[in-house]
Each structure stands twice: as structure tokens, then as C-alpha cells.
Amino acid sequence: TRYFVDHRTVRVVGGQGGGGGHSFYSEPRKIFGGPDGGNGGDGGHVILKADQQTKSLSSVLPFYQGFHGEKGGNKNCYGANGAYVYVKVPVGTLVKEDGKVLADLTQHGEEYIAAYGGAGGKGNRFFLSNENRAPTLFTPGEPGQERVLHLELKMTAHAGLVGFPNAGKSSLLRAISSAKPAVAAYPFTTLNAHVGIVHYQDYEQVAVADIPGLIKGAHQNRGLGVAFLRHIERCRFLLYVVDLSVSQPWIQLQDLKYELEQYKKGLSERPCVVIGNKIDLAQSRINLPLLKEQVDERVIALSALTGDNLEELLLHLRELYDAYVKTEQSRGQSPVKW
């Protein structure tokens, strides 16, 4: 089983440059043909490349090294450059070094050179001059760049399911997509973020991320805390899942918005809808009109367990997605597609 990994520390080393050649041209009747040692080839880079098919950092190894350049030959032959090493990372990967952000790979095919290969050495032909007609000097190749980078994945789903533990987020994701997150009757069943794809008849796909349950103080890294709050940053719209069966369910919504706002200002103001889950319970039907009175956002009451009223959610989810696509296109940007 490959688990979802959103952190990885990786050591990258560029390939070493090939050494310069050292030789003198010689053939019958042309004994003093002069130096003909060629330059060595450059070492290969290590390049991080964002790939839409890669969804986790689990496939990233702890160490990568570029290929070495070849040594320069005689007859002024240059050594071949070392091949590049490409490391596929998910779209939405942040590259950090010593806490400083070096790159943010948000588009498919975007590349970042993590470690440069070393330059090839100079052959003795390079040092030929009028003052020195028979140079014996040649230089070795330079070592490649070496770095220790920290990769951090921020998921780029369209919608994020936000709620407290046991609100029914995983059950809802199972009901509207083919994703199979674990479901159980105890809190913190979900310890890793999951993404489910909602398919529509016109072949559009909306990605919905199940973010592990937040608790009060999550912005201070309590519970699972900041480890999963950062995934909500990249979600274009939010689905607040509240448990209608508890007393005063609107308090849950206020606490969730507070946690998001404390983590990043403006995060709670993104387009959203409030999902009142567990409408199949008697207490939920009593709390539903009270919740609608207390909140300004649209409330969709449903049951992830029985499938009641899922159609309304799917239709509204498509409306939010279409609005996002229209906004991105009006800005001249391409919307994220799955």
C-alpha cells in the first residue's frame, strides 16, 4: 500500500563534469601536430517536474544524483554531457531550503532545477597560445551542486470538505465519488487527506478533498492542525460539513471559520456552502430550521448514510465549479483540470 505523503526531505546532487583530455596529435610526417585534447562534458542537472498524474510525494526517493559528464578525448573530441535526472512531483508542490520557498510548482509540466551539474574540465587544446605551443595543462571537471531540499505538497483540489471529527466528511466523499476513505464511529478516523472525483455527464470532473477533522486550536497546531490546514489553502471553494444532530450546530460553523481565518486571513471568505449532515436523525430535523436562521450561507441538508438529497449538493457543487472556471478565464488564467 502506498500512503499519501505530503512531506519529503530529499538530497540532490548534480552530476560531476568530465575531465579535460590530454593528448597531442601525431601521425607520419606530422610529428608535432600540437595539442588535441578536448573539453569534458558537463554534468547532468537534477530537475523537479510537476506531473498531473502524480498525486503524492510517496514515490520521491531520499536521494538523487545527476549523471556525470564524459571525459574529453583526443582529436579535439568533446566529452558527452551527463543526462538530466527528472523527478516527478505532484502539482502543488512547494520546494523549500532552510525554510525559504524556492519554487511553487502549480502547473502541469512546470520544472525547477534542484541541483546544477558541474562544468566540464578544459582539455590541453584549450590552453594553446602563441606563447605556449605545447601545453600540458588540463583541468578536471567540477563537482555538481549539492543541496538538501524540503518538498511540501499543498493539494490542488477544487473543493475542500471542512468539518470537525465525526461530522461525516468521509461518508459524504464515499457517497458522491468512488474514493474509499475509512469510515468508523470514532473521531480522527481520517488521518490522511483523500481526493474524490465527481463525474458529470458532460465529462467535467470536480475534485473534492476530504481534509482530516479539525479541532479548536488547529491553527496553533493542535490535533492534526497545520499539517492539513495547508491543504485547504489551495481549494477554490469550501464545503462546510456540520453535524445536525448536535445541539447548536451553527457553533461548529463559527468555530471552523475562526480556525481558517486564524490560519490565513481571507480563507474563510471563499465561496462556500454549508452541508447539514445526518438529516435522517430525528434531532437533526429539529435543528435544521434553527441552523438556517443563524447562518447567511446556503444550507443543504442531506444524509451521507442514506443518500437523501445528494442531488442538490451535486448540482450546487457544479454551480460553484462553473463560477470558478468563469472567474479564472476572465482573468486570463487556465482553471485547474483533473
Side-chain angles (χ1 to χ4, degrees):
T1 303
R2 276 202 167 168
Y3 294 98
F4 177 81
V5 177
D6 55 3
H7 272 280
R8 188 71 98 196
T9 299
V10 57
R11 180 169 157 254
V12 288
V13 181
Q16 181 161 344
H22 174 259
S23 67
F24 288 90
Y25 185 74
S26 178
E27 66 176 25
R29 294 181 297 280
K30 195 171 183 182
I31 301 171
F32 301 107
D36 69 345
N39 296 341
D42 296 334
H45 306 328
V46 179
I47 301 175
L48 303 178
K49 186 171 184 177
D51 180 62
Q52 208 165 9
Q53 301 302 316
T54 307
K55 302 302 181 187
S56 167
L57 293 172
S58 59
S59 60
V60 176
L61 302 176
F63 175 72
Y64 289 95
Q65 180 165 24
F67 290 93
H68 300 320
E70 292 186 6
K71 184 181 178 181
N74 58 5
K75 298 184 181 179
N76 297 320
C77 289
Y78 282 35
N81 293 335
Y84 295 168
V85 172
Y86 286 91
V87 182
K88 289 184 179 180
V89 296
V91 174
T93 299
L94 277 176
V95 184
K96 293 183 177 181
E97 185 178 31
D98 299 327
K100 181 182 177 184
V101 177
L102 304 176
D104 189 359
L105 307 176
T106 57
Q107 298 292 329
H108 175 69
E110 198 172 349
E111 296 179 1
Y112 173 72
I113 300 178
Y116 285 92
K122 303 299 183 185
N124 64 337
R125 170 77 183 184
F126 178 82
F127 298 99
L128 176 66
S129 66
N130 288 332
E131 292 76 25
N132 187 2
R133 306 300 295 172
T136 58
L137 178 64
F138 63 98
T139 59
E142 295 183 5
Q145 185 183 18
E146 182 174 349
R147 304 166 88 179
V148 176
L149 301 176
H150 185 72
L151 306 183
E152 180 181 305
L153 174 60
K154 291 184 178 180
M155 200 175 286
T156 54
H158 298 120
L161 292 170
V162 186
F164 286 111
N166 269 26
K169 301 182 298 300
S170 297
S171 299
L172 181 58
L173 189 66
R174 290 173 74 107
I176 63 176
S177 74
S178 58
K180 301 297 179 190
V183 173
Y186 51 84
F188 294 113
T189 313
T190 304
L191 296 176
N192 297 310
H194 293 268
V195 177
I197 308 299
V198 181
H199 298 271
Y200 289 90
Q201 288 183 341
D202 58 354
Y203 302 106
E204 282 287 358
Q205 297 183 145
V206 180
V208 182
D210 174 19
I211 311 298
L214 304 178
I215 63 170
K216 288 185 180 180
H219 69 279
Q220 298 170 334
N221 214 17
R222 291 180 184 167
L224 298 175
V226 176
F228 294 102
L229 272 169
R230 68 168 175 272
H231 291 306
I232 301 172
E233 275 188 72
R234 295 278 171 92
C235 295
R236 273 54 183 187
F237 38 91
L238 303 177
L239 310 178
Y240 293 105
V241 183
V242 297
D243 185 351
L244 279 177
S245 63
V246 301
S247 61
Q248 298 182 320
W250 54 89
I251 301 294
Q252 293 181 45
L253 182 63
Q254 294 170 7
D255 290 341
L256 289 169
K257 286 191 171 186
Y258 175 78
E259 291 300 328
L260 296 185
E261 198 63 25
Q262 290 299 308
Y263 174 69
K264 185 178 180 182
K265 195 166 180 63
L267 195 58
S268 66
E269 297 171 6
R270 293 195 180 173
C272 67
V273 63
V274 179
I275 299 171
N277 194 17
K278 306 182 183 180
I279 192 62
D280 51 310
L281 302 179
Q283 186 61 40
S284 299
R285 298 190 191 95
I286 299 171
N287 289 336
L288 178 59
L290 301 175
L291 175 65
K292 289 184 175 180
E293 288 176 12
Q294 294 287 336
V295 302
D296 300 325
E297 295 85 357
R298 177 173 176 176
V299 177
I300 298 177
L302 54 79
S303 172
L305 182 66
T306 63
D308 290 348
N309 211 26
L310 284 178
E311 294 83 359
E312 184 181 353
L313 171 62
L314 293 173
L315 290 171
H316 188 64
L317 186 63
R318 182 59 191 269
E319 290 173 12
L320 291 169
Y321 174 74
D322 289 340
Y324 154 69
V325 171
K326 192 174 180 181
T327 303
E328 291 295 295
Q329 290 174 343
S330 66
R331 294 176 181 169
Q333 299 175 349
S334 55
V336 173
K337 295 282 185 178
W338 278 68

